[in-house]
Amino acid sequence: MKTPKIAVLTGAGVSKASGIPTYRDGADSLWNNHHPQQLATPETFAQNPKLVWEFYDWRRRNMAQARPNPAHKTLAEMEAALSHFTLVTQNIDGLHREAGSKNILYLHGDIWLVRCTECDYRSEDRRTPLPELPPRCPRCNAMLRPDIIWFGEALNPKTLYQAEQAFKKADIALVVGTSAVVYPAAYLPFFTIEKGGRVIEFNMERTALSDYASEVILGPSEETLPRWWKQFRQEMGLS
Ligand code: BJW
Ligand code: ZN
């Protein structure tokens, strides 16, 4: 049997069971009384780069200790089993990679990469904690910044284009652990809806997307996604 084309969008909820706080979970997501949404902006970085770097240094330490959970592992299994499968993530933590996913479209960047604010230097840096905050460019000595996308910044156009194509072609879009309020990520499932495909949402609660989804599976994705995949595999006759 021909298997359907699947595109997946993941958000912070997928990594919550791995010990990484989400962005919009009230007090749980605060860092030293700051909202992550206030710190993840170019304006705050311009005003107070040390504060923003302290926040990211703390998150890097937290993320370095985190391990993939069954939801990440299921998505890696799906990629290996299906011929048309695209994983698009808003997460910067690298846990999909660690779980074994190979082709990942990082919409909001990668916390393990740094780039220069002045020249085109860009590099992986996995040291935790970083020895100096803010870190400096080894080429021109200007400040480095995390290679991630803050509010008001443009996403990488090639990455966004590839993500859009995947959702336009998909027969089934799985939307996992995202509040679906941050654009342009949040409009991706609508491409699948427009072409008549199905959108299946996995979340603890209903979101901005739920009314448009074909199916909403409530519960922790580290449990619901492996269960859904097991059933889907059986229905499709996949081993
Ligand atoms: C579970 C669970 C479990 C818990 N199992 N579920 C259109 C309309 C309005 C505004 C805009 C628009 N278009 C653009 C904008 C502006 C803005 C935006 O969207 N604002 C909205 C908030 C209104 N967008 C931008 O600024 C973007 N840039 C842009 O559009 O540029 C335009 C431009 C073009 C050309 C030139 C210049 C500019 C950029 C957005 C970048 C987002 N960056 C961040 C920070 C990344 C770095 C970092 O981590 O520090 O990305 S913000 C933050 O939100 C992060 C996340 O990836 C993103 C999404 O959050 P996510 O993943 O959905 O997390 P939560 O916490 O919101 O939700 C978690 C969910 O999990 C919840 O639903 C829980 O229930 C659930 N959950 N446990 C399953 N176990
Ligand atoms: Zn530089």
Side-chain angles (χ1 to χ4, degrees):
M1 194 196 290
K2 207 164 156 262
T3 55
K5 296 187 175 78
I6 296 191
V8 183
L9 174 67
T10 64
V14 99
S15 295
K16 190 162 182 198
S18 299
I20 301 176
T22 60
Y23 293 88
R24 294 171 186 80
D25 262 359
D28 281 358
S29 56
L30 290 184
W31 173 76
N32 288 353
N33 281 326
H34 296 283
H35 284 282
Q37 293 112 288
Q38 287 162 348
L39 295 164
T41 70
E43 291 78 21
T44 313
F45 185 68
Q47 280 160 12
N48 199 341
K50 194 163 165 38
L51 174 77
V52 173
W53 259 116
E54 279 166 0
F55 169 60
Y56 282 100
D57 200 42
W58 170 78
R59 288 178 64 200
R60 285 163 61 99
R61 273 177 276 159
N62 169 245
M63 288 176 184
Q65 282 163 13
R67 292 292 159 263
N69 66 57
H72 297 107
K73 289 180 189 155
T74 297
L75 292 168
E77 271 180 40
M78 289 173 75
E79 180 181 4
L82 297 168
S83 34
H84 295 280
F85 178 86
T86 307
L87 175 57
V88 180
T89 188
Q90 298 170 83
N91 298 345
I92 58 172
D93 55 37
L95 288 181
H96 286 306
R97 190 169 48 222
E98 203 181 318
S101 289
K102 301 270 182 283
N103 296 309
I104 306 164
L105 295 174
Y106 295 93
L107 286 182
H108 296 161
D110 181 341
I111 201 164
W112 302 110
L113 299 178
V114 291
R115 67 179 155 90
C116 183
T117 52
E118 296 290 339
C119 75
D120 61 4
Y121 177 82
R122 185 169 180 261
S123 170
E124 188 179 53
D125 190 339
R126 296 196 152 260
R127 292 173 298 169
T128 52
L130 285 163
E132 182 197 13
L133 295 180
R136 297 269 155 195
C137 175
R139 227 181 260 165
C140 76
N141 206 40
M143 243 187 316
L144 294 176
R145 58 165 281 176
D147 193 13
I148 55 184
I149 314 290
W150 286 324
F151 279 115
E153 294 186 319
L155 278 67
N156 179 307
K158 190 174 164 209
T159 308
L160 182 59
Y161 176 78
Q162 289 175 328
E164 287 173 358
Q165 291 304 309
F167 278 80
K168 280 179 185 169
K169 287 184 191 142
D171 303 303
I172 302 177
L174 307 180
V175 182
V176 191
T178 175
S179 55
V181 293
V182 174
Y183 286 83
Y187 74 58
L188 290 172
F190 289 92
F191 286 125
T192 309
I193 295 172
E194 260 171 29
K195 74 142 253 195
R198 293 174 64 214
V199 171
I200 308 177
E201 182 180 44
F202 298 79
N203 203 303
M204 295 299 289
E205 55 189 36
R206 290 182 69 82
T207 71
L209 176 71
S210 303
D211 284 349
Y212 306 92
S214 323
E215 200 179 332
V216 180
I217 300 178
L218 294 177
S221 57
E222 61 277 14
E223 292 173 15
T224 54
L225 194 63
R227 211 180 297 142
W228 179 87
W229 171 233
K230 191 173 171 209
Q231 197 185 333
F232 179 86
R233 238 173 26 201
Q234 280 168 359
E235 280 167 15
M236 291 291 139
L238 298 165
S239 54

